[in-house]
Amino acid sequence: MQKMMRILGGAMMVLAVGVVTPACAHDVKAGDLTVVQPWARATPAGAKVGGAYLSITNNGKTADRLTGVSMSSADHVEIHEMKMDGGVMKMRPLPNGVEVKPGQTVKLNPEGNHLMLMGLKAPLKQGSVIEGTLHFEKAGAVDVGFTVESIGAKAPGAGDHGSGAIKGDSTHKGH
């Protein structure tokens, strides 16, 4: 009887932990593509734009292209490029998206190419997950959950302190 109570108590503890553990986004496979660590930054009240990030690895033999993203939490999403031009950091939309060549990983992060969530319908709250759909030329539509990190996060799971290397990625710096 005591053994049964311990087993039942352990099972209840596992269930309780599952209930109180915050939701988190997961890596997603779509054909030869793997989408890793989708995340976004929390936004202050009243903000109409936000940033979202992820990595896409192509394990196949043919290139694919991320052509667009849609999210119910934003009016529209743009794929943006950030790069230095004459000593000035410039950001611009990439209307043709980004190519993911065979054997390569494309990283969308706070210091480079990224997703701009335009016309936010509500603030992005830390600890929540926002749902989105990535649109690829070949892999098609892929549903992804983006974990919302703190406003100052530099990388997924790093909070405000951005610790650097995550699954082989280099340290991310602010956006």
Side-chain angles (χ1 to χ4, degrees):
M1 182 72 163
Q2 254 183 341
K3 186 174 183 182
M4 179 74 108
M5 292 303 281
R6 274 189 289 215
I7 291 170
L8 184 57
M12 289 174 75
M13 183 65 105
V14 168
L15 286 173
V17 169
V19 170
V20 297
T21 301
C24 63
H26 297 284
D27 298 351
V28 176
K29 284 190 67 72
D32 292 329
L33 302 179
T34 303
V35 177
V36 178
Q37 295 181 325
W39 67 286
R41 280 193 179 141
T43 58
K48 292 297 178 192
V49 298
Y53 318 96
L54 51 82
S55 294
I56 306 162
T57 299
N58 185 342
N59 296 307
K61 296 184 187 213
T62 59
D64 205 338
R65 179 176 292 277
L66 175 64
T67 58
V69 179
S70 55
M71 291 185 177
S72 60
S73 58
D75 289 335
H76 68 282
V77 178
E78 296 177 355
I79 303 167
H80 275 206
E81 170 186 66
M82 275 186 10
K83 68 179 186 177
M84 292 299 288
D85 183 12
V88 176
M89 181 63 74
K90 294 195 176 183
M91 181 171 56
R92 69 180 180 97
L94 295 172
N96 297 322
V98 292
E99 182 177 32
V100 187
K101 295 179 181 175
Q104 287 191 341
T105 297
V106 169
K107 296 177 182 178
L108 304 182
N109 61 57
E111 63 184 16
N113 293 353
H114 57 277
L115 302 176
M116 285 296 298
L117 288 56
M118 313 292 278
L120 289 175
K121 297 174 183 172
L124 303 181
K125 295 190 184 296
Q126 182 176 352
S128 66
V129 175
I130 55 173
E131 300 300 325
T133 303
L134 308 177
H135 302 279
F136 292 96
E137 277 182 351
K138 295 186 174 97
V142 179
D143 293 330
V144 176
F146 292 80
T147 301
V148 180
E149 302 287 346
S150 69
I151 287 176
K154 295 175 180 17
D160 290 323
H161 305 292
S163 63
I166 295 181
K167 288 192 182 182
D169 197 6
S170 61
T171 301
H172 299 304
K173 294 184 181 157
H175 174 286

